[in-house]
């Protein structure tokens, strides 16, 4: 039977390390589930590339960069050879250095040969297998653990190099690995008597010659050289990627080792530490290990892919983690219920990551966390959510998440995550974990999850602590930490508005797919029960969501997963050759079953699977349901080829629309944006205020332009003189870049809804009037927004009139140009609008922002995001405590704060590196205003605009949401 | 829940041994075991090189620790804003961490102001210290109920002041009065707010100005017509005491000078007060009228319980605090208080 035979064949090839298939039979049974799809006999008779990467539990994370990307990386590598850009911190001494020529030759051959060679190499490898098995002896037996390894793609990077030059000389190399004896307990490998610490701790398999049954004349001595016969997946040895089968371990931390003393030497390692191994790469007999060596060297010289991708592949985690080892951060899962009968050391720690010096200090004080968690609830009423600790110079915020009898503690450095946002960050992580594993308990309490969780939290910390490093190699890193935090923390996904015709086509294609009508590929065709029901899907293009057919909560779940694994930036910055992700997920809305159940409707008790397929810049996430009306899922099924292929087909179909989407991305920003730098007056100190209008072209236009402009000017003039610029004058001696006269007031504004009656507006306005005259004029801020209209109208707070006059005055052209701000000149710098109901937000695209690159504009945007963090935190605080994570809960809760919250801060900024000593730097004043509406639809809106023109943010919000069609 | 909604309790212990020195605020004192554990977790962390500074609970409750001079530990425990199910809009807003930190600073400075730094930094006799500390309670209680007649200075470290109708006249009087009392530091306080003060008075550390105003308020509340009170300036002279001579002029109006050993209280009261202030009684009365109008309760009766000024001040403080914590994001820098912020 062909399919069966084929499966067996594949099993052999799937051993990632060079081991045999001694346990092939048992493996086959393990992989029965995987073999189902190969028997489904799809038209493409070639096996999909990702089949090898499916893990035992059916999960798949397969990522392959496109050829163009790899070529570019290689070209860069070749160019960088001379400079020796050593991105990897580990040193590697070699007895012989390969000449430049060799390298180039190899790179060239690789770049060209890559695409076609991939499959060829696979076949070759399969053929070569028997001989290798003979050479390697019976050192395998770890084959199935290769399957449980995280989704590394070691093979995938390497096949092209099989043709590489063979290095004939013996080499000594030093490899640093990170060992943690404490992890021994968690290791899934049993302490075998033959392997000992070498195997368990380091992950190097060495079979003494007597057990191999062969007598090597060179090593008849009692003390045998430690040849590496195999590597254990997930071990430090394989993770570092530089220890190869066939190498000889010569020394550990400069202590010579042999088979005699290795166990003693290794047992002397007291705790987690970095160990230097000296290895001898033996004279090479066959090509395979030689090419491995060269591939490793190439990796060292210049990483072909960004750190992010390598991290996703599961490489380099130890090294990346070590580079932030000095920054205190930790995640611990602690048990609150202690068995006092058998007090064991560190028994209460169910999970912990990472193991570093700084984090061990945090681990040491876990008693504080447990005590506080226990005690504070009684004292202040309400569970503890965070603590701030000072570790030496580092301020660390620790967040708590209590679930049943266990406590999740996450400590993060304060300079990365402000306290205001810690709760959101941790809440997101918890939700991601729940989506992935069902509950925290099931995530943390299973021993075999530990390596996967390590990878998970490695990603988490890397993204938070050194995001720039992950993006290394791609275009200039926008290390806007607060921006990332703010945008990712929003319970929403970034949306890209598309022209209606494209949008419609996209939706049609998606709907076609979701109908599961796969023609002769579908189960219906064969009269079988359907495997999965497609619940919905969403489509990303270059990290923007362009179509969504998922319910909001599901969308958020999916998006959290994507965010955590950096899939969105990946798709926007690097062309993904192919991305296939498959895993069981536990959508929170469905798992909790708290969806408003209509009478007579029961949510089917099915299992859910997430399928993500990425092709170039497109990425589609599909949520599938098994059980319910589809056939129930048994065991842990892997991805089904049919579904994957159908998604791929959908994506290919969508690629026809790529040009249209690109056009949209390249189009000038739909609501016009201005660059902050245009507003900087190049003025001298003395008459800066007076020349503000005359010297800057923008301003003069503003003044002389339309009537609206002049109104703005006069208003601005009065206010500016009184408040901020004056202050900045007195302050300009100080070295600060920016000085903000800040006022923040959260006040009720008239309802923004179209239904709001003039009466209510008048009433509320009147209230504010009394407030304004009450005396807080001084700080320029609190009343500023509302003072603006005072000049023109007898009752300035009657917004009804104002709105009318606005529309009268600037009727048509305003709407035609899609300008958000009023006045002749566009003064809008940045905006973020979140539609809470749909779970999406829109903001200027990256490209739009990049086009406006000025000197202070990026600075301004950073500040905008930073400020939005605070504003949003203030909004969240005003919501009932329980609803903080879900601002979208049903209305009518009646928190009595009125329908609208508004919060604004006035900033003043100067160019960053102003060198001219004699003149003070010119300044520019702008507002950052956030507004939260709960009616008619919950929305949050953040804008940043220049101080000069009277704004009615109401108008802006309307215009933005008007253009937003879903 | 052991604390009332929105109340703040202040615990003071010796840092080395954890002996409770006093507890203020909140009607019901926390049980000793809780006080012990709160102190214990901080001490435990200290032993491990980890300094615990703040904790936050779900509904905005907060605990803030601080050790001063390795000798006195102050802990502020603020209960959450809303307890249980019903959350009334009139409940006190939650305390910001920065506010509590400032409260602890102020309390410590208060203790220094009254007792001097030496006595607090080197505790020899705990029982005696406990007894001595009682003299600070009035002041500390005033700090704890932080909206005493709309006073914001505790929070902002900018003294509350008012603009009298005849500033030059009062200024001259204060100046002359202080000079006659051999002092450069003189101050006229109307309704707890500074109406006029000598140049040097404003040169004192902002916190000292605020605390001295608070001290004046609590002294004048005692109703005595004059007093001679030794004070240590927490920043200027934490170890050497000065004399604060306070004279009651009219109900709600007090004048004080900060001076050395001379003159005696009696001489100053009999000779100087009459000479300088009798001619100004009418001006002072006008000033009192202004002061009355200043009180927010009178000025803004329709406002909800949330004092907008207090809210704004807290927001400012919060931003400032954040700016300190995030020196990288120095966009959010606020103008520094110039020592005198004249309101209204």
């Amino acid at each position: 039977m062909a399919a069966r035979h084929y499966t067996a064949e594949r099993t052999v090839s799937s051993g990632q390390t060079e081991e045999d298939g001694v346990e092939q039979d048992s493996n086959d049974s393990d992989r029965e589930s995987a073999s189902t799809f190969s028997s489904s006999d799809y038209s493409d008779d070639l096996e999909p590339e990702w089949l090898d990467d499916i893990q035992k539990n059916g999960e798949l994370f397969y990522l392959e960069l496109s050829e163009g990307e790899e070529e570019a990386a290689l070209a860069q590598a070749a160019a960088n050879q001379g400079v020796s850009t050593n991105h990897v911190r580990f040193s590697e001494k070699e007895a012989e250095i390969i000449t430049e020529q060799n390298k180039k030759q190899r790179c060239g051959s690789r770049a060209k040969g890559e695409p076609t060679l991939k499959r060829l190499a696979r076949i070759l490898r399969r053929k070569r297998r028997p001989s290798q098995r003979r050479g390697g002896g019976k050192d395998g037996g770890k084959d199935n653990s290769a399957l449980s390894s995280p989704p590394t793609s070691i093979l995938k990077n390497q096949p092209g190099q099989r043709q590489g030059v063979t290095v004939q000389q013996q080499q000594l190399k030093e490899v640093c690995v990170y060992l943690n004896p404490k992890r021994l307990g968690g290791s899934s490998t049993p302490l075998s008597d033959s392997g000992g610490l070498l195997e368990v701790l380091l992950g190097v398999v060495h079979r003494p010659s007597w057990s191999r049954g062969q007598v090597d004349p060179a090593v008849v001595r009692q003390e045998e050289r430690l040849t590496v016969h195999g590597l254990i997946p997930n071990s430090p040895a394989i993770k570092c990627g530089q220890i190869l089968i066939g190498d000889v371990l010569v020394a550990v931390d400069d202590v010579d080792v042999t088979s005699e003393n290795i166990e003693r030497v290794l047992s002397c390692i007291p705790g987690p530490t970095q160990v230097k191994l000296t290895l001898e790469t033996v004279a090479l007999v066959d090509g395979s290990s030689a090419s491995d060596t060269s591939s490793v060297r190439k990796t060292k010289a210049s990483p072909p892919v960004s750190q992010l991708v390598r991290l996703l592949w599961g490489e380099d985690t130890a090294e990346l983690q070590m580079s932030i080892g000095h920054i205190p951060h930790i995640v611990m899962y602690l048990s609150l219920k202690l068995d006092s009968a058998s007090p064991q050391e560190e028994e209460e720690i169910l999970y912990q990551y990472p193991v570093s010096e700084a984090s061990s200090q945090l681990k040491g004080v876990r008693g504080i966390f447990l005590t506080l968690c226990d005690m504070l609830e009684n004292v202040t009423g309400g569970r503890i959510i965070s603590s701030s600790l000072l570790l030496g110079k580092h301020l660390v915020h620790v967040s708590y998440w209590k679930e049943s009898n266990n406590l999740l503690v996450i400590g993060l450095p304060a300079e990365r995550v402000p306290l205001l946002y810690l709760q959101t960050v941790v809440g997101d992580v918890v939700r991601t974990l729940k989506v992935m594993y069902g509950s925290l308990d099931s995530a943390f309490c299973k021993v075999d999850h530990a390596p996967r969780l390590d990878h998970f939290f490695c990603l988490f910390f890397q993204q938070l602590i050194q995001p720039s490093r992950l993006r290394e190699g791609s275009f200039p890193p926008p290390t806007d930490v607060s921006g990332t935090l703010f945008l990712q923390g929003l319970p929403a996904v970034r949306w890209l508005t598309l022209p209606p015709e494209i949008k419609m086509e996209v939706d049609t294609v998606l709907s076609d797919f979701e109908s599961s009508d796969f023609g002769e590929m579908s189960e219906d065709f064969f009269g079988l029960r359907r495997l999965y029901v497609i619940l919905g899907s969403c489509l990303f293009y270059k990290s923007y969501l362009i179509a969504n057919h998922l319910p909001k909560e599901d969308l958020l779940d999916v998006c959290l997963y994507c965010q955590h694994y950096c899939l969105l930036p990946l798709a926007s910055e690097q062309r993904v050759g192919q991305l296939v992700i498959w895993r069981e997920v536990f959508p929170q809305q469905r798992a909790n079953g708290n969806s408003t159940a209509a009478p007579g409707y029961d949510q089917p008790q099915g299992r859910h699977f997430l399928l993500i397929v990425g092709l170039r810049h497109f990425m589609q996430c599909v949520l599938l349901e098994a059980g319910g009306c589809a056939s129930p899922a048994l065991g842990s099924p892997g991805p089904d080829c049919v579904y994957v292929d159908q998604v791929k087909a959908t994506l290919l179909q969508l690629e026809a629309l790529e040009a249209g989407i690109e056009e949209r991305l390249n189009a000038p920003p739909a609501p016009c944006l201005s660059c902050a730098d245009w507003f900087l007056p190049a003025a001298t100190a003395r008459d800066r205020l007076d020349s503000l209008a005359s010297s800057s072209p923008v301003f003069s236009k503003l003044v002389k332009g339309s009537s609206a402009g002049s109104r703005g000017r006069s208003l601005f003039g009065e206010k500016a003189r009184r408040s901020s610029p004056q202050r900045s004058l007195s302050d300009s001696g100080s070295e600060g870049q920016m000085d903000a006269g800040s006022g923040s007031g959260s006040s009720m504004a008239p309802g923004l809804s179209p239904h709001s009656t003039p009466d209510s507006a008048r009433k509320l306005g009147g209230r504010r009037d009394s407030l304004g005259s009450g005396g807080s004029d001084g700080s320029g801020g609190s009343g500023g927004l509302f003072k603006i209209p005072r000049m023109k109208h007898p009752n300035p707070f009657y917004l009804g009139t104002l709105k009318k006059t606005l529309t009268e005055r600037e009727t048509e052209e305003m709407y035609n140009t899609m300008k958000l701000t009023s006045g002749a000149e566009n003064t809008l710098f940045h905006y973020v609008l979140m539609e809470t109901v749909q779970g999406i937000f829109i903001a200027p695209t990256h490209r739009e922002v990049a086009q406006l690159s000025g000197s202070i504009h990026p600075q301004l945007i950073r500040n905008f995001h930073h400020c939005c963090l605070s504003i949003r935190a203030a909004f969240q605080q005003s919501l009932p405590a329980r609803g903080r994570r879900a601002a979208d809960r049903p209305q009518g809760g009646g928190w009595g704060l009125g329908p609208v919250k508004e919060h604004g801060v006035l900033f003043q900024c100067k160019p960053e590196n102003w060198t001219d000593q004699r003149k003070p730097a010119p300044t520019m004043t702008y507002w950052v205003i956030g507004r939260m509406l709960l009616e008619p639809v919950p929305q949050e809106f953040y804008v940043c605009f220049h101080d000069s023109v009277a704004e009615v943010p109401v108008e802006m919000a309307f215009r933005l949401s008007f253009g937003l069609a879903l | 829940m052991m604390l009332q909604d929105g109340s703040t309790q202040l615990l003071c212990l010796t840092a080395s041994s954890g002996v409770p020195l006093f507890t203020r605020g909140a009607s019901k004192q926390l049980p000793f075991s809780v006080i012990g554990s709160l102190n214990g977790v901080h001490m435990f962390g200290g032993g491990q090189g980890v300094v615990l500074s703040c904790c936050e609970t779900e509904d905005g409750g907060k605990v803030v620790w601080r050790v001063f001079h390795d000798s006195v530990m102050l802990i502020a425990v603020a209960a959450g804003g809303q307890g249980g199910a019903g959350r009334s809009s009139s409940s006190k807003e939650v305390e910001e961490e920065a506010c509590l930190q400032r409260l602890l600073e102020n309390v410590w400075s208060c203790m220094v102001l009254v007792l001097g730094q030496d006595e607090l930094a080197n505790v020899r006799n705990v029982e005696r210290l406990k007894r001595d500390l009682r003299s600070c309670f009035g002041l500390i209680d005033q700090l704890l109920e932080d909206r005493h007649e709309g006073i914001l200075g505790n929070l902002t470290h900018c003294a509350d002041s008012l603009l009298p109708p005849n500033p030059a006249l009062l200024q001259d009087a204060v100046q002359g009065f202080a000079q006659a009392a051999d002092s450069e530091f003189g101050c006229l306080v109307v309704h707890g707010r500074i109406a006029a003060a000598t140049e040097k008075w404003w040169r004192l550390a902002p916190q000292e100005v605020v605390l001295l105003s608070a001290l004046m308020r609590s002294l004048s509340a005692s109703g005595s017509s004059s007093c001679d009170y030794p004070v240590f300036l927490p920043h200027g002279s934490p170890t050497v005491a000065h004399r604060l001579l306070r004279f009651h002029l009219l109900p709600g109006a007090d004048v004080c000078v900060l001076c050395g050993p001379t003159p005696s209280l009696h001489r100053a009261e009999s000779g100087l007060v009459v000479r300088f202030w009798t001619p100004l009684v009418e001006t002072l009365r006008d000033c009192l009228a202004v002061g009355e109008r200043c009180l927010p309760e009178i000025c803004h009766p329709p406002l909800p319980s949330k004092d907008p000024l207090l809210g704004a001040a807290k927001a400012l403080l919060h931003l400032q605090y954040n700016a300190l914590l995030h020196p990288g994001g120095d966009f959010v820098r606020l103008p520094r208080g110039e020592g005198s912020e004249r309101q209204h």
Side-chain angles (χ1 to χ4, degrees), chain B residues 10-23 31-40 42-43 64-68 70-77 108 111 120 123 126 129-130 133:
Chain B
L10 184 80
L11 314 172
C12 177
L13 309 98
T14 59
S16 50
S17 51
V19 179
L21 292 174
F22 65 84
T23 313
F32 183 73
S33 62
V34 171
I35 300 178
S37 338
L38 283 175
N39 183 47
H42 190 275
M43 272 171 82
V64 174
W65 290 261
R66 182 110 178 239
V67 176
F68 292 89
D70 286 332
S71 73
V72 174
M73 146 99 80
L74 287 175
I75 305 174
V77 186
W108 166 255
M111 289 157 64
L120 292 165
V123 182
V126 176
L129 181 62
K130 268 191 200 173
L133 277 172

Side-chain angles (χ1 to χ4, degrees), chain A residues 751-825:
Chain A
L752 302 189
S753 71
H755 322 297
S756 82
T757 62
D759 266 344
S760 73
R762 188 196 300 273
K763 204 170 70 200
L764 290 165
R767 284 261 315 266
R768 211 182 308 110
D769 197 355
S770 76
L771 195 155
S773 64
S776 68
D777 283 13
S779 71
S782 63
L785 245 191
F786 308 113
K787 262 178 263 152
I788 293 163
R790 186 180 295 164
M791 318 296 281
K792 216 77 182 182
H793 307 291
N795 179 1
F797 303 104
Y798 183 32
L799 270 180
T801 335
L802 184 73
K803 233 159 147 184
K804 215 170 80 200
T805 48
L806 261 183
T807 41
E808 271 169 14
R809 203 171 275 153
E810 307 136 19
T811 42
E812 297 292 307
E813 85 270 35
M814 217 159 76
Y815 287 96
N816 289 342
T817 51
M818 260 293 260
K819 195 152 55 91
L820 279 185
T821 56
S822 52
E825 200 64 38

